[in-house]
Amino acid sequence: MGTGPDRPLEGRTVALLATDGVERAELLEPRRALEEAGARTLLVAPEPGEIRAFDHLDPAEPVPVDLGLDGARPDEIDALVLPGGVANPDRLRTDRRAVAFVRAFADAGKPLAAICHAPWLLIEAGVARGRTLTSFPSIATDLANTGAVWVDREVCVDGPLVTSRRPDDLPAFCAALIEALRPAAAVPRPGRPPTDLRACRSPGAAGARPR
């Protein structure tokens, strides 16, 4: 089936990597947006079964896992989404398999999107240095210390990397992710293209200090 204007991501497969403690909205809203655009999505977690989502600090419903990390193959997936929450990326960044999974997408130049605290995984995978990124403000110093440029914007696009700050930014985050995956979009080459601050959208000064 070919792509159409309402389903531009038909034929694309996107993984969402998460574990217990994931922020529910940051998992489910990008997933819904991707599927409405025609993509097939896969929830990848350290182990098969299910994970527990949260609404901030309150437990939410369990979410079924599609693939454990040991069965997930980055070469069969077109893009990776890293939802936030605090506990979720904090757990994942101590899992060598999760870090290697993230690094594989960066090395291949595939779209890689992270929101809220999920850029911790970009740091751990060694892909944040030299990039312009946004995140939840509390980890701005972590990103700066690893050599990234932190900006206070609802979405920032630097080559294949798409980042946002918090659940309020989800509409912009989802739109940028879908744009990065459109077949007509230029496919970035592996490596680290020069940062283009013009691609970081919405108000906010480059290099802004976190509030």
Side-chain angles (χ1 to χ4, degrees):
M1 181 182 297
T3 60
D6 297 327
R7 294 176 65 82
L9 304 188
E10 197 80 50
R12 301 274 179 156
T13 299
V14 182
L16 299 98
L17 176 63
T19 191
D20 293 329
V22 64
E23 184 71 24
R24 178 170 61 171
E26 293 173 357
L27 172 63
L28 298 185
E29 290 191 28
R31 188 173 203 178
R32 180 168 52 248
L34 287 163
E35 290 178 352
E36 288 176 353
R40 171 180 176 241
T41 65
L42 296 170
L43 174 55
V44 178
E47 305 300 335
E50 61 184 28
I51 60 173
R52 174 68 67 174
F54 274 67
D55 289 326
H56 303 296
L57 300 178
D58 298 323
E61 75 271 15
V63 183
V65 171
D66 296 307
L67 279 175
L69 268 170
D70 290 336
R73 295 178 55 87
D75 58 327
E76 297 176 351
I77 300 169
D78 297 299
L80 178 62
V81 178
L82 303 175
V86 178
N88 163 56
D90 195 39
R91 290 185 173 115
L92 289 173
R93 65 178 172 163
T94 66
D95 187 322
R96 292 182 181 179
R97 299 170 303 162
V99 174
F101 192 68
V102 173
R103 188 181 298 118
F105 285 87
D107 288 346
K110 294 181 177 180
L112 177 54
I115 188 169
C116 193
H117 290 74
W120 267 337
L121 275 162
L122 303 182
I123 294 172
E124 200 67 33
V127 301
R129 180 178 300 277
R131 294 294 200 176
T132 297
L133 306 169
T134 194
S135 68
F136 196 77
S138 66
I139 70 166
T141 299
D142 297 339
L143 286 164
N145 286 343
T146 202
V149 175
W150 187 85
V151 293
D152 186 13
R153 301 183 182 184
E154 65 180 359
V155 65
C156 182
V157 180
D158 184 351
L161 298 183
V162 178
T163 51
S164 283
R165 301 169 301 186
R166 54 174 63 91
D168 288 347
D169 299 332
L170 279 166
F173 180 71
C174 293
L177 173 59
I178 290 170
E179 188 63 30
L181 271 162
R182 285 182 183 274
V187 177
R189 295 181 180 178
R192 297 177 177 172
T195 296
D196 181 2
L197 287 176
R198 294 172 299 175
C200 291
R201 303 168 187 165
S202 91
R209 297 179 64 85
R211 292 192 295 271

